[in-house]
Amino acid sequence: MQAAVYRAVDDVRTETMGVPEIGAGEVLVRLDTCGICGTDLKKIHTGSHSAPRVFGHEMAGTITAVGEGVKGFEVGERVMAFHHIPCGNCFYCRKKTFAQCETYKKVGTTAGVGEAAGGGFAEYIRVMDWIVGDGVTPAGLIKIPDDIPFEQAAFIEPVNTCFKAVKLLALEPDDTVLVIGQGSIGIILAALAKQTGATVLTSDMYAERHAVAAKFGLDRPLDARGDVVAACKTATEGRGADVALVAVGADALIATAMAAIRPGGRVMLFASTQHGTAPFDPAAVCMDEKTLMGSYSASVAIQQEGIDLVFEGYRSGKLDFTQLISHRFGLEDAAEAVRLASNPVADSMKIVLKAGSSV
């Protein structure tokens, strides 16, 4: 099979290798689509993980083999796989902070190269037993109905992460929400926020991205090159937004978000996945009672609800996430796909890899 292998910092190469072997309780999936996520890019560019590995975790495909003892899944079924599933029993799981569970931090899907790292940038993945589950209690391997394209199903994992953040905010219909950044994740966050009935303002530099956002009913665009803080206050009788969602990993935007919300408002960091320092006014937190919070990765507590959003959203046309895909690359061009995803331009949104047919 072909796989895009991470060999060193900024070095991803398409190589030919064997199909991963599966064991008892495991499943082999022939992938159709895998999205390129910002966390994949961070690992490729920072060298935070040892090489070699195959990254990629926004994936969907078809089961081609099942291991001994697998229940509830058969060869030929269309599936997507979450690469993380928590234990359900530890302190963090009891507190529903699933992304901090030690079992959750283990990766349960792999292309069989180096340590497990998702494996979606390949033709086949091995799905490990705790992801497959016992056939009774739902786990991380999800069946895809025949009327849902693989490209839509590949959004189930990123939609879950966005839905988790929006649920944590408990938005109300009279809230005004600012979403900073209208890449694919920013648009998903904004579209889900709008479903609560809230007024959603979207900020980005590119008119092309606002045009894509408009397909999801996001009709309050702000030019990020202008005074976004002033625009938020104008839209809210001078108060500022109730919530600001920061969908860009730029520390300087934290101060912008804090300035754009009203006293008692909240800032949700969604893309701040690299350690560093960022200045903000502590008196804004104390005296103005503003809240700075974060949300990371997926939640099993809302897993089925998120799946239903993706399936029903496609059927109704209201949340057809395939509209976010701007570029499709074969695995042979994975290095170019990573380059474009790492250097976004006005007309680039979600970039996906499509598996070839060779083995």
Side-chain angles (χ1 to χ4, degrees):
M1 71 171 185
Q2 284 190 319
V5 183
Y6 166 72
R7 287 289 177 184
V9 174
D10 294 331
D11 184 358
V12 174
R13 312 173 192 174
T14 301
E15 303 178 12
T16 300
M17 57 197 54
V19 174
E21 297 182 0
I22 62 171
E26 299 183 341
V27 164
L28 186 70
V29 175
R30 166 74 164 80
L31 294 178
D32 177 277
T33 301
C34 184
I36 298 178
C37 175
T39 57
D40 298 320
L41 300 175
K42 179 187 76 170
K43 295 165 187 173
I44 290 167
H45 298 318
T46 65
S48 58
H49 290 58
S50 61
R53 296 181 186 225
V54 177
F55 294 118
H57 57 270
E58 300 175 355
M59 50 204 175
T62 303
I63 295 176
T64 58
V66 296
E68 181 182 354
V70 169
K71 297 177 181 178
F73 294 98
E74 298 178 356
V75 170
E77 289 187 313
R78 305 166 75 246
V79 294
M80 68 76 58
F82 285 93
H83 60 312
H84 295 298
I85 287 292
C87 73
N89 300 311
C90 71
F91 172 86
Y92 290 108
C93 285
R94 293 196 302 271
K95 296 295 185 181
K96 298 190 182 301
T97 316
F98 301 109
Q100 307 309 318
C101 164
E102 289 303 316
T103 297
Y104 186 91
K105 292 178 183 180
K106 292 168 52 182
V107 180
T109 59
T110 180
V113 180
E115 292 189 43
F121 298 170
E123 289 184 66
Y124 290 85
I125 58 163
R126 168 191 164 211
V127 183
M128 299 179 201
D129 55 0
W130 76 91
I131 305 293
V132 175
D134 59 11
V136 178
T137 303
L141 191 61
I142 310 300
K143 295 181 182 182
I144 305 170
D146 290 341
D147 64 327
I148 305 298
F150 287 120
E151 289 185 348
Q152 177 79 0
F155 279 95
I156 288 175
E157 191 273 344
V159 166
N160 184 304
T161 67
C162 294
F163 192 39
K164 171 185 172 182
V166 171
K167 295 277 275 189
L168 283 171
L169 290 167
L171 298 174
E172 298 181 352
D174 64 348
D175 282 337
T176 296
V177 179
L178 168 67
V179 181
I180 299 177
Q182 287 295 276
S184 57
I185 288 296
I187 290 177
I188 293 171
L189 286 165
L192 295 177
K194 187 175 177 66
Q195 284 204 327
T196 68
T199 297
V200 180
L201 312 176
T202 55
S203 170
D204 201 274
M205 295 173 57
Y206 299 123
E208 292 88 343
R209 294 189 171 189
H210 284 305
V212 176
K215 297 178 181 180
F216 294 85
L218 300 167
D219 55 3
R220 302 287 296 272
L222 303 178
D223 187 342
R225 293 168 295 186
D227 192 337
V228 172
V229 173
C232 285
K233 293 189 175 181
T234 298
T236 56
E237 300 177 334
R239 293 186 303 274
D242 299 283
V243 169
L245 270 156
V246 185
V248 182
D251 290 344
L253 290 174
I254 298 174
T256 300
M258 290 289 281
I261 61 170
R262 63 168 174 80
R266 292 165 291 165
V267 169
M268 169 68 80
L269 303 185
F270 190 84
S272 300
T273 60
Q274 296 198 49
H275 291 287
T277 58
F280 68 93
D281 180 2
V285 174
C286 182
M287 296 175 64
D288 296 341
E289 300 181 300
K290 296 182 179 183
T291 299
L292 183 60
M293 58 194 297
S295 180
Y296 180 68
S297 200
S299 169
V300 292
I302 58 168
Q303 186 165 292
Q304 189 58 52
E305 195 174 354
I307 291 166
D308 292 342
L309 271 174
V310 174
F311 293 164
E312 296 306 321
Y314 181 80
R315 291 169 179 144
S316 70
K318 294 179 180 179
L319 293 174
D320 177 0
F321 295 115
T322 66
Q323 297 177 100
L324 297 175
I325 299 174
S326 62
H327 295 78
R328 297 168 175 84
F329 290 86
L331 285 171
E332 66 275 11
D333 296 318
E336 175 61 18
V338 168
R339 185 201 65 76
L340 179 59
S342 303
N343 300 278
V345 293
D347 65 349
S348 64
M349 296 291 289
K350 173 56 73 175
I351 296 168
V352 301
L353 292 174
K354 306 289 287 187
S357 58
S358 61
V359 176

